[in-house]
C-alpha cells in the first residue's frame, strides 16, 4: 500500500493529467470517472499506481476558479486557484476590447484580481491605444506596458508575479507565450518533460499549462483565446462587474434599472456628461446581451 500524496495539476495531457508532486517531478495521473473536472491549478490527492503513473483520488477545495460554458448547459472549470488574471493586448493584432471587458467582468464576478498588459510597445501603433487604456486605469485597473522583444517593462511585471498564481489571457497572437518564455528561462525544458509523459511525442500547447516562476509565484499560459463565459452572470448583475460604474449604481431613478434606455439612469447620464467612458458603456450594452446565456466570443 503506497502512501497518498499531494500534487498540483499543471496541464491536461492526452491520456490524463500532468500532476507535479512535492519534489517538482511530473507524474501522469488518471482520474476516476466520477471525480468530475480537474483543471490546471487544482491541488489534488493522488496515489502511485502501475508503472510510473498515478491516480487522482480527490480534487481539493479551490480558492477560486474560472469556468466556460460546456455541453448541456453545464460549465467546465478552465483554471483553478488563480490569484490574478492578466488581459494581454497588443497593437497587433488589433485589440478586441469586447473580449477584454468580458474577461474583466468575469474576473470581477469571481473575485479574481485582474490587470491589463499592453505588449509590443516597441511597435509604433502602441501609443494609439493609450486613450483606451486610460479608461481602464480610471476604472482602477493596473496597466503594464511591456515589450517581450526589448524587455521593456518586464521588471515591474515580474515583481507583481512573484506571489500567487497568475494567468495570461486574451486574443491569440498578442504575445502570451512569448511573455511566458521571457519570464521562464527553462520553459522549453518543461515542455519537453511534459511531452515525454504525454506519450504523443510532443506537448502541444493546446492546453493551459502552469509553470513555477524562478523568483516564486506561478504562471498559467492559456492557448489562444481563453473563453470565460458570461453564462453564470445574470444580466442584472453585470453592471456591478463594471468597476467604473460603481459610483453611479444605486443613483438611478429605478432600482431595477438595467442602464439601457431607462429614464433617470445615472450611468447613462454619466456617459452623456463625459465622466464615464462611452466606449466601455457601449460594450456593456453588448455584453448585456451575452450575460445569462451560453453565447460567447472567440475561438
Ligand atoms: N514586435 C513585437 N512582437 C512580439 C512581441 N512579443 C511577441 N511578439 C510576436 O507576436 C507573435 C505572437 O506571439 P505569441 O507569443 O505566440 O502570442 P500568443 O498567441 O498570445 O501566445 C510572435 O510572432 C511574436 O514574435 C513584442 O514585444 N514585440
Ligand atoms: Mg500562445
Ligand atoms: Zn441606470
Amino acid at each position: 500500500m503506497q502512501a497518498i500524496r499531494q500534487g498540483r495539476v499543471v496541464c491536461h495531457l492526452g491520456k490524463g493529467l500532468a500532476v507535479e508532486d512535492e519534489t517538482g517531478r511530473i507524474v501522469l495521473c488518471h482520474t476516476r470517472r466520477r471525480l468530475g473536472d480537474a483543471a490546471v491549478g487544482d491541488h489534488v490527492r493522488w496515489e502511485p499506481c502501475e508503472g510510473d503513473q498515478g491516480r487522482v483520488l480527490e480534487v481539493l477545495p479551490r480558492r477560486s476558479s474560472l469556468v466556460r460554458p460546456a455541453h448541456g448547459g453545464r460549465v467546465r472549470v478552465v483554471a483553478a486557484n488563480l490569484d490574478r488574471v492578466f488581459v494581454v493586448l497588443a497593437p497587433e493584432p488589433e485589440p478586441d476590447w469586447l473580449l477584454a471587458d468580458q474577461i474583466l467582468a468575469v474576473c470581477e464576478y469571481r473575485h479574481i484580481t485582474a490587470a491589463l498588459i499592453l505588449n509590443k510597445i516597441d511597435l509604433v501603433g502602441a501609443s494609439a491605444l493609450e486613450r483606451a487604456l486610460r479608461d481602464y486605469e480610471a476604472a482602477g485597473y493596473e496597466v503594464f506596458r511591456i515589450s517581450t522583444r526589448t524587455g521593456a517593462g518586464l521588471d515591474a511585471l515580474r515583481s507583481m508575479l512573484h506571489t500567487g498564481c497568475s494567468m495570461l489571457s486574451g486574443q491569440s497572437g498578442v504575445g502570451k507565450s512569448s511573455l511566458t518564455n521571457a519570464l521562464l528561462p527553462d520553459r522549453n525544458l518543461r515542455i519537453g518533460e511534459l511531452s515525454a509523459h504525454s506519450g504523443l511525442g510532443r506537448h502541444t500547447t493546446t492546453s493551459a499549462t502552469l509553470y513555477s516562476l524562478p523568483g516564486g509565484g506561478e504562471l498559467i499560459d492559456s492557448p489562444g483565446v481563453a473563453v470565460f463565459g458570461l453564462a453564470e452572470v445574470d444580466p442584472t448583475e453585470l453592471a456591478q462587474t463594471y468597476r467604473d460604474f460603481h459610483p453611479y449604481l444605486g443613483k438611478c431613478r429605478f432600482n431595477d434599472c438595467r442602464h439601457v434606455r431607462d429614464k433617470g439612469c445615472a450611468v447613462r447620464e454619466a456617459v452623456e456628461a463625459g465622466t464615464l467612458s462611452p466606449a466601455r458603456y457601449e460594450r456593456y450594452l453588448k455584453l448585456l446581451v451575452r450575460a445569462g446565456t451560453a453565447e460567447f466570443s472567440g475561438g
Side-chain angles (χ1 to χ4, degrees), residues 239 248-254 256-260 262-269 281 284:
Y248 313 104
L249 299 179
K251 293 183 180 157
C252 303
R253 184 180 305 168
F254 302 107
D256 62 348
C257 187
R258 291 285 179 93
H259 323 296
V260 183
D262 315 61
K263 277 207 180 87
C265 172
V267 172
R268 224 193 43 242
E269 281 165 8
Y281 177 68
Y284 162 79

Side-chain angles (χ1 to χ4, degrees), residues 13-200:
L13 293 174
K15 291 180 293 182
L17 299 167
V19 173
E20 185 177 290
D21 73 4
E22 306 92 328
T23 67
R25 204 174 61 99
I26 298 289
V27 183
L28 176 62
C29 284
H30 304 276
T31 58
R32 291 177 173 171
R33 213 167 261 127
R34 60 181 177 79
L35 202 60
D37 272 347
V40 62
D42 264 325
H43 292 282
V44 295
R45 289 169 70 243
W46 64 278
E47 64 180 358
C49 61
E50 67 284 346
D52 239 1
Q53 306 188 343
R55 180 184 299 114
V56 171
L57 303 170
E58 187 189 355
V59 176
L60 297 173
R62 296 165 173 145
R63 68 174 182 276
S64 68
S65 62
L66 286 178
V67 300
R68 67 171 171 79
H71 297 291
R74 285 191 300 255
V75 295
R76 216 186 164 81
V77 179
V78 176
N81 300 311
L82 294 171
D83 296 293
R84 69 187 75 78
V85 168
F86 291 96
V87 178
V88 187
L89 298 154
E92 231 184 79
E94 193 187 319
D96 181 344
W97 298 107
L98 192 62
L99 177 69
D101 284 6
Q102 176 159 342
I103 296 170
L104 295 177
V106 170
C107 288
E108 203 72 28
Y109 186 77
R110 289 254 160 184
H111 305 290
I112 297 167
T113 305
L116 287 85
I117 294 176
L118 174 65
N119 185 33
K120 312 195 191 182
I121 57 168
D122 56 293
L123 297 181
V124 285
S127 56
L129 304 180
E130 280 303 319
R131 208 164 65 98
L133 289 173
R134 275 196 291 275
D135 285 345
Y136 294 93
E137 287 175 316
Y141 290 105
E142 207 165 345
V143 179
F144 294 86
R145 294 165 176 82
I146 67 162
S147 166
T148 60
R149 184 153 293 175
T150 67
L154 287 185
D155 285 343
L157 188 59
R158 263 194 203 98
S159 64
M160 167 115 261
L161 291 170
H162 70 218
T163 57
C165 182
S166 306
M167 178 163 169
L168 302 179
S169 67
Q171 291 154 270
S172 107
V174 291
K176 298 181 299 294
S177 297
S178 309
L179 176 57
T180 309
N181 273 326
L183 297 166
L184 270 157
D186 63 352
R187 176 171 181 254
N188 289 329
L189 215 74
R190 192 59 162 175
I191 288 177
E193 198 184 346
L194 291 170
S195 305
H197 286 276
S198 72
L200 300 170

